[in-house]
Amino acid sequence: MQTRVTRVMRIMRLNNSLFMSRFSRNLRIKQNSKVQQIFLVNNFNRPQINTNIYRFASNINNNVNKLSTNEKKYKETKTSWIYTYLPSKLVPYALLARLDKPIGTWLLYFPCTWSITMATYHAHLPISQSVYMLSLFGVGAFIMRGAGCTINDMWDRKIDSKIERTANRPLASGSITPFQALSFLSLQLSAGLAVLTQLNWYSIFLGATSLSIVTIYPFMKRVTFWPQLYLGLAFNWGALLGWPAMIGSSEWTVTLPLYTAGVCWTLIYDTIYAHQDKKFDSIVGVKSTAILFGDRTRYWLTFFSGSMLSCLVLAGYMNENDWPYYFISVMGAGSHLAWQLWTVNIDDVVECGRKFRSNKWTGAIILSGIVTDIAWQNLNK
């Protein structure tokens, strides 16, 4: 490729010499005064071969640039720990489950922790039981987040291949076949079921009902501008599940506001996330709240932030939480959300990705407030 480009550039320099010689012969200068000069060019025709060479060289240079860009992206991808520590045959499956991007697991896990710790506070349960359940739900969140990614990529493999950010995903790039992905999904769901069966029967039934929402979520981006709402319904199911896993029954006056707060939270962070792909999504026909809200995104996210905080207040009131919950969980989360909305640039892809990932701290702040409230409760027994 380098030799070919060099040869073409030599031909271009030779042709330019001929071109300038012809230009000089056809250039006449008529001087009307000492200050003004008028350049008249007669019978000037640029040789056709010169245009063709320029076009040919331009195509070669563009291809070289594309190769360089793809090589750079490939090297950046190769820096992931997955390529260092996993056998090459397992790499596509690890990428399919997004093992290199743990933010999704955190966002799925935190609503579970809120519910578990709220139940601990309500029923004065032993810390050991809470730690065990938090660990169990952590494993479940890790497994089911990967299963959700597999389902999503199976639905979207043709769309992903048309979008720059997702074109290298295993199914979109052809690294694995749909049948291999389906087999991997069966393994993931089996592992998730093994975790679910560790809970009581009420929780097993409640947890199983979420699978239908997880399955249809990728389809919703084709028919509605609110797929983020459906993602919120699926991603925050743990807010409904954690409480009965601890106690054996649901306290809907607490878990429903907690669940609604989580749904509003998902609408916030996933709308920011969707702004990364809004240009490509508009071209391929994928719908999202980012496209729907457009320039009014900040106003909508402010509304969802207020709704989320109101639901957290309601859940704490119904659960009879003390001041640490309101000071840390509610006010702390509100401050972090305000920072996100104040500083995010929805037209900057890198900035949107950074703000999206920062939401793990929003979830952690809410959890820390509940844990602090439990500690305060134990100190004042």
Side-chain angles (χ1 to χ4, degrees):
M1 176 64 73
Q2 185 66 32
T3 304
R4 189 177 183 185
V5 172
T6 304
R7 189 182 302 119
V8 170
M9 296 306 294
R10 288 177 180 172
I11 296 174
M12 287 174 59
R13 286 196 292 269
L14 178 60
N15 197 41
N16 280 337
S17 298
L18 295 174
F19 161 69
M20 292 303 298
S21 176
R22 185 169 183 176
F23 177 81
S24 298
R25 288 195 303 269
N26 289 281
L27 182 64
R28 298 175 182 177
I29 303 176
K30 182 178 180 181
Q31 186 173 3
N32 293 330
S33 65
K34 293 182 180 180
V35 179
Q36 183 181 18
Q37 288 184 341
I38 301 176
F39 293 84
L40 299 176
V41 182
N42 295 327
N43 301 322
F44 170 71
N45 291 314
R46 184 170 179 156
Q48 184 64 36
I49 185 173
N50 195 57
T51 303
N52 293 335
I53 290 176
Y54 271 108
R55 186 181 298 114
F56 179 61
S58 178
N59 290 336
I60 292 177
N61 287 332
N62 288 339
N63 290 334
V64 171
N65 290 335
K66 288 179 180 179
L67 288 172
S68 300
T69 302
N70 291 336
E71 183 179 1
K72 183 178 179 181
K73 290 181 179 179
Y74 179 75
K75 289 181 179 179
E76 289 176 353
T77 304
K78 280 285 188 178
T79 60
S80 171
W81 64 269
I82 288 177
Y83 292 93
T84 304
Y85 298 104
L86 292 182
S88 58
K89 291 184 179 181
L90 297 181
V91 168
Y93 297 99
L95 294 175
L96 185 62
R98 310 284 200 279
L99 297 189
D100 57 330
K101 298 176 181 178
I103 179 61
T105 301
W106 286 116
L107 297 177
L108 180 63
Y109 178 57
F110 276 122
C112 306
T113 66
W114 305 342
S115 187
I116 291 171
T117 50
M118 290 286 268
T120 301
Y121 179 89
H122 175 81
H124 306 279
L125 299 174
I127 300 300
S128 58
Q129 182 181 347
S130 301
V131 171
Y132 169 75
M133 203 59 67
L134 288 170
S135 301
L136 190 64
F137 271 73
V139 175
F142 176 79
I143 294 171
M144 292 309 298
R145 186 264 180 153
C149 291
T150 302
I151 294 172
N152 183 78
D153 285 9
M154 291 176 68
W155 273 94
D156 291 348
R157 65 182 185 278
K158 293 182 180 179
I159 295 176
D160 286 344
S161 63
K162 301 176 183 178
I163 299 176
E164 182 180 4
R165 188 179 61 83
T166 59
N168 289 327
R169 288 179 177 175
L171 277 168
S173 63
S175 299
I176 59 176
T177 65
F179 178 76
Q180 289 173 320
L182 181 62
S183 302
F184 182 55
L185 176 62
S186 300
L187 180 63
Q188 290 173 300
L189 294 179
S190 298
L193 180 62
V195 173
L196 185 63
T197 54
Q198 304 305 307
L199 307 179
N200 54 64
W201 281 107
Y202 181 91
S203 300
I204 291 174
F205 175 78
L206 184 62
T209 56
S210 67
L211 190 60
S212 58
I213 303 176
V214 175
T215 303
I216 67 170
Y217 157 69
F219 176 73
M220 302 313 297
K221 66 183 72 174
R222 294 163 170 80
V223 298
T224 178
F225 282 102
W226 292 89
Q228 281 70 29
L229 175 61
Y230 286 87
L231 178 65
L233 296 175
F235 241 58
N236 295 280
W237 202 260
L240 300 177
L241 188 59
W243 186 291
M246 293 291 289
I247 297 178
S249 61
S250 292
E251 182 61 54
W252 297 108
T253 58
V254 178
T255 58
L256 279 179
L258 206 60
Y259 178 63
T260 306
V263 173
C264 292
W265 182 41
T266 302
L267 282 164
I268 296 166
Y269 65 67
D270 205 56
T271 297
I272 294 174
Y273 181 85
H275 271 284
Q276 296 179 104
D277 300 325
K278 58 187 175 184
K279 294 181 180 179
F280 296 101
D281 288 347
S282 298
I283 295 173
V284 300
V286 172
K287 299 177 174 63
S288 71
T289 49
I291 297 174
L292 177 64
F293 299 159
D295 294 335
R296 297 183 62 82
T297 292
R298 204 179 304 273
Y299 299 106
W300 278 97
L301 298 190
T302 301
F303 168 74
F304 292 135
S305 298
S307 300
M308 175 186 177
L309 296 177
S310 298
C311 289
L312 287 176
V313 169
L314 178 59
Y317 175 78
M318 299 306 298
N319 199 41
E320 299 181 352
N321 284 87
D322 213 328
W323 67 267
Y325 171 80
Y326 298 101
F327 183 73
I328 300 175
S329 296
V330 179
M331 294 182 62
S335 299
H336 194 274
L337 291 173
W339 168 77
Q340 289 187 59
L341 301 186
W342 184 263
T343 60
V344 67
N345 180 1
I346 60 174
D347 295 319
D348 187 332
V349 173
V350 175
E351 176 68 11
C352 287
R354 187 180 297 115
K355 287 297 186 295
F356 165 74
R357 290 188 295 274
S358 75
N359 275 275
K360 64 178 178 289
W361 298 114
T362 309
I365 290 169
I366 297 173
L367 173 62
S368 64
I370 306 172
V371 172
T372 304
D373 208 6
I374 295 173
W376 177 257
Q377 181 189 59
N378 291 333
L379 287 174
N380 289 276
K381 280 185 178 180

